[in-house]
Amino acid sequence: MDEKAIKTTFRFTFEAIEREYRTALDLGYEFCTCAEYVTRKRAGKTTKLVVNRVDMDMSVKKADRLGAIFDRLKIRASFYLRLHAPEYNPFSFENYRIIKTLISSGHELGYHSEIVDESAIWSEAAENCLRRDIDVMNRAFGIRIQGVASHGGMTGLNNLDFWNDRKPADFGLLYEAYDKQPEFNLFQEAFYISDSEWTRWKCYDRGQLVAGNQKSFGEHAAEGRPLIYLLIHSDTYFDRHFYE
């Protein structure tokens, strides 16, 4: 395979990512949240579908810009919020306002969990950390969290390991974002596209990395992938440059 043929010149601006979403809409794709995917899967309605996920790793403010794009396009997304990030305070005046706006616009708010990190740093049981964090979010935002997405931070620990021998239902949850339970199992069954390498895209086909493939979301959509699991990060996008 010619690696040069599958690279992209995509520039990670808000304007460019909005074009990618418009491309997928023009191609006939529908969009849904991760929680909505569970219902659609039960009904067998997963063809020409994009499951739309946004991780707020370092910026809630930039998530507000993505939310505005989705609102213009009349599509929904799942936004995942960290509670213990040194980069932002989820309960600051402006961040709280933004999160409430996302919820009121019909987007899903999930928990970007760091419970293995919490357990190691605080010497507390990860199960207790998870239950407490879910309760905090439910109470603070007047909702019922349905899903979590495990965050990959700088501790060297893997927060996803918590789920090796546990099920989301054990904690009143519908799913974990990489959950292999048959009710979800999205990563293993979809074409997964992510911007998590900051300056380039990467993709997995039914759980297997497609090495060297840096095509953008819109380029993959044009190829007619029947089920796409799209993960983007609010921090990645900008108007003029990354450090603006």
Side-chain angles (χ1 to χ4, degrees):
M1 181 180 292
D2 182 4
E3 187 173 324
K4 292 182 179 179
I6 54 176
K7 289 186 177 181
T8 182
T9 57
F10 183 83
R11 190 164 179 262
F12 288 86
T13 63
F14 287 109
E15 181 181 14
I17 193 62
E18 182 168 355
R19 284 198 303 268
E20 299 284 294
Y21 278 92
R22 289 188 183 276
T23 293
L25 285 169
D26 290 343
L27 290 167
Y29 278 92
E30 294 183 80
F31 288 78
C32 74
T33 68
C34 289
E36 290 169 340
Y37 172 72
V38 176
T39 302
R40 293 188 66 118
K41 185 176 182 180
R42 288 175 188 154
K45 298 180 179 179
T46 61
T47 302
K48 208 88 183 229
L49 181 67
V50 177
V51 183
N52 194 20
R53 171 182 161 192
V54 179
D55 287 357
M56 296 181 281
D57 280 5
M58 293 188 288
S59 176
V60 174
K61 184 177 181 180
K62 286 191 172 185
D64 193 28
R65 294 287 303 277
L66 292 176
I69 290 172
F70 300 153
D71 292 347
R72 280 197 297 274
L73 300 178
K74 296 181 172 55
I75 61 177
R76 288 188 292 273
S78 297
F79 288 84
Y80 295 90
L81 177 74
R82 296 170 69 192
L83 288 187
H84 310 290
E87 293 86 3
Y88 65 78
N89 174 8
F91 303 112
S92 70
F93 289 114
E94 184 61 5
N95 286 345
Y96 183 84
R97 182 200 67 76
I98 290 169
I99 295 162
K100 292 288 284 187
T101 298
L102 292 173
I103 295 169
S104 65
S105 296
H107 303 293
E108 177 188 7
L109 181 67
Y111 174 40
H112 207 21
S113 71
E114 299 174 89
I115 49 180
V116 174
D117 296 328
E118 293 171 46
S119 178
I121 293 168
W122 299 336
S123 299
E124 297 182 4
E127 292 89 345
N128 294 340
C129 292
L130 177 60
R131 291 189 176 96
R132 181 177 60 226
D133 288 349
I134 290 171
D135 186 54
V136 166
M137 289 186 67
N138 287 344
R139 289 173 179 269
F141 299 108
I143 58 176
R144 179 176 175 270
I145 296 296
Q146 298 188 75
V148 302
S150 298
H151 175 66
M154 301 302 292
T155 65
L157 300 172
N158 187 350
N159 289 291
L160 193 57
D161 286 346
F162 176 83
W163 299 101
N164 287 342
D165 56 357
R166 299 173 180 88
K167 297 180 180 179
D170 298 337
F171 300 88
L173 298 168
L174 195 61
Y175 68 89
E176 197 284 331
Y178 297 103
D179 183 10
K180 293 183 180 179
Q181 296 297 311
E183 295 82 5
F184 195 72
N185 202 31
L186 180 58
F187 182 69
Q188 301 295 330
E189 296 178 2
F191 193 87
Y192 174 89
I193 308 166
S194 173
D195 64 4
S196 57
E197 293 189 350
W198 295 92
T199 59
R200 61 189 180 189
W201 295 91
K202 67 177 180 179
C203 60
Y204 291 72
D205 191 358
R206 295 175 177 85
Q208 299 298 314
L209 176 66
V210 185
N213 191 324
Q214 297 170 20
K215 289 182 180 179
S216 70
F217 162 49
E219 290 172 313
H220 284 298
E223 293 177 345
R225 306 286 182 182
L227 174 61
I228 293 175
Y229 186 10
L230 176 64
L231 167 61
I232 66 172
H233 296 75
S234 56
D235 332 297
T236 305
Y237 298 91
F238 52 84
D239 288 312
R240 291 168 298 279
H241 60 85
F242 184 83
Y243 293 109
E244 63 193 14

